[in-house]
Amino acid sequence: MGDQIRNATAADLPAIVEIYNAAIPGRMATADTEFVSVDARREWFSQHDPSRRPLWALERSGRLVAWLSFESFYGRPAYASTAELSVYVATTAHRSGAGSTLLTHAIERAPDLGIETLLGFIFGHNSPSLTLFRGHGFEQWAHLPGVAVLDGVKRDLLILGRRVP
């Protein structure tokens, strides 16, 4: 059975949170420093609209192994055609192509969602994510030096962008 990408459902939220929480201790993929609860993520989940700002789940052999979310950029109407992407992959599925599958799907579907510009906000020390996004045609559009502090270490944030046809 191959990969299946679908809109995430409320029943997926525990698995989504589990994948997200697994990324926190590595201090590479998120600026959160403490685990989040399913309850704390319910409002975030409800803000995703499958027709404009979806949250997709990637299933492999019936198990959710990765997810991708579209977030509005900057919250102002003039930026309606721009979205920030977040991609999280279960540790058991790292380097399996799950992130690439989701990112390819996001690029292909962006025009249907009214999106012309995709952004990725990625820590400068997160080589795997930088490689993933750059491999899908994203370029560095901004470098914010030392804007995050993780365990007392200042970290850079890179903004990668890509226009979609």
Side-chain angles (χ1 to χ4, degrees):
M1 182 175 194
D3 292 346
Q4 178 191 2
I5 298 172
R6 59 173 175 72
N7 288 318
T9 66
D12 295 320
L13 192 53
I16 289 168
V17 168
E18 180 181 345
I19 290 169
Y20 183 79
N21 281 339
I24 292 172
R27 302 294 196 250
M28 284 187 24
T30 176
D32 275 321
T33 57
E34 302 289 331
F35 293 136
V36 300
S37 69
V38 171
D39 284 341
R41 295 301 273 178
R42 287 189 200 285
E43 182 178 343
W44 166 83
F45 178 86
S46 71
Q47 292 171 352
H48 288 88
D49 173 358
S51 68
R52 299 270 308 132
R53 297 293 185 263
L55 171 59
W56 291 329
L58 177 92
E59 279 190 358
R60 185 173 283 159
S61 301
R63 186 166 182 266
L64 196 153
V65 297
W67 57 269
L68 179 143
S69 68
F70 287 80
E71 304 284 343
S72 293
F73 172 72
Y74 207 60
R76 305 281 197 289
Y79 299 110
S81 66
T82 299
E84 176 189 351
L85 298 178
S86 295
V87 181
Y88 287 86
V89 178
T91 55
T92 57
H94 282 181
R95 295 176 181 38
S96 71
S100 183
T101 296
L102 281 167
L103 199 50
T104 297
H105 190 66
I107 292 164
E108 291 171 354
R109 292 285 316 281
D112 299 334
L113 301 168
I115 296 169
E116 297 174 0
T117 304
L118 295 170
L119 300 174
F121 288 60
I122 303 169
F123 285 132
H125 64 287
N126 187 344
S127 296
S129 289
L130 291 169
T131 298
L132 172 66
F133 275 71
R134 287 176 174 144
H136 284 80
F138 285 74
E139 299 174 335
Q140 183 174 315
W141 286 359
H143 177 197
L144 303 158
V147 296
V149 180
L150 296 170
D151 300 327
V153 178
K154 289 186 178 184
R155 296 296 189 175
D156 297 352
L157 180 67
L158 304 182
I159 300 175
L160 276 62
R162 179 196 160 124
R163 305 260 188 247
V164 290

